[in-house]
Amino acid sequence: MIASVAGQVAAITADSAVIEVGGVGMLVHCAPGTLAGLRVGEPARLSTSLVVREESLTLYGFASDDERTVFELLQTASGVGPRLALAMLAVHAPNALRVAVASADIKALTMVPGIGQKGAQRIVLELKDKLGTPAAAVDAALNGAAAPPVWRDQVHSGLVGLGYSSRDADEAVAAVTAEAEAEVAAGRTPQVATLLKSALRALSVR
């Protein structure tokens, strides 16, 4: 198994990156939040999971070992393959998924494209004893304290990675919050790449 890759970022697309490792370009499929932290021409290290199929070898990359662990555990649920597991991590951070499963938050799980009511119920049933449940996170969920939306941290991290100060990033995130909330209200998942572009526009016209 390829547990990680480290090298210079050669290219970035909407759903993958190419990392040069020992003269070989490794195509790694990633969630938008992970891609937002990469820069072409700069060094990077990703935790990875190699999915082996009869006709293909596909490498998935993550910003942390915890994301990779959750990615692999998600696939132990019936009907959850690597693409759906990656989509789940694109919408929810690992701890948010643990909270959703522990508290049987079907609404949160069905925010992921490709997961319906029955699928969410099956995921809760099959994963509740596998993902682990950080006590503080579960207490917050059960007490009604909402966790910060995943897109918020991802956009903020992307802006800081581009060289903006944390304060500037905070202001830009605030500027795109209404756009993100409108997507949620319409039943859609806010797209980090789109919000990041809006945030950059907001910073450019200050």
Side-chain angles (χ1 to χ4, degrees), residues 9-22:
V9 180
I12 299 173
T13 68
D15 60 1
S16 65
V18 176
I19 310 294
E20 291 281 354
V21 182

Side-chain angles (χ1 to χ4, degrees), residues 32-34 36-39 148-177 180 191-200 203:
T34 300
L38 303 179
R39 302 290 175 271
V150 175
W151 67 263
R152 188 183 300 274
D153 287 340
Q154 293 177 342
V155 171
H156 189 280
S157 297
L159 292 170
V160 172
L162 287 172
Y164 291 97
S165 68
S166 181
R167 181 176 178 180
D168 285 342
D170 287 339
E171 292 177 358
V173 166
V176 300
T177 295
Q191 299 299 305
V192 173
T194 301
L195 293 174
L196 189 56
K197 290 178 182 178
S198 296
L200 288 170
L203 288 169

Side-chain angles (χ1 to χ4, degrees), residues 49 51 53 58 60 62 71 75 79-88:
S49 179
V51 176
R53 295 287 185 267
T58 307
Y60 293 86
F62 310 91
F71 171 79
Q75 293 175 71
V80 179
R83 290 189 179 279
L84 184 55
L86 191 66
M88 293 174 74

Side-chain angles (χ1 to χ4, degrees), residues 94-96 98-100 102-103 132-148:
N95 275 347
R98 291 187 177 103
V99 171
S103 58
T133 51
V138 173
D139 288 344
L142 297 180
N143 290 330

Side-chain angles (χ1 to χ4, degrees), residues 53 69-82 84-85 88 101 109 115 118-131:
R53 295 287 185 267
T69 298
V70 171
F71 171 79
E72 293 172 347
L73 287 172
L74 289 172
Q75 293 175 71
T76 64
S78 303
V80 179
L84 184 55
M88 293 174 74
V101 171
L109 293 174
I115 297 181
K118 290 183 178 179
Q121 292 171 343
R122 184 174 61 249
I123 287 169
V124 167
L125 181 64
E126 296 184 14
L127 295 181
K128 63 181 180 181
D129 296 323
K130 293 183 179 181
L131 285 185

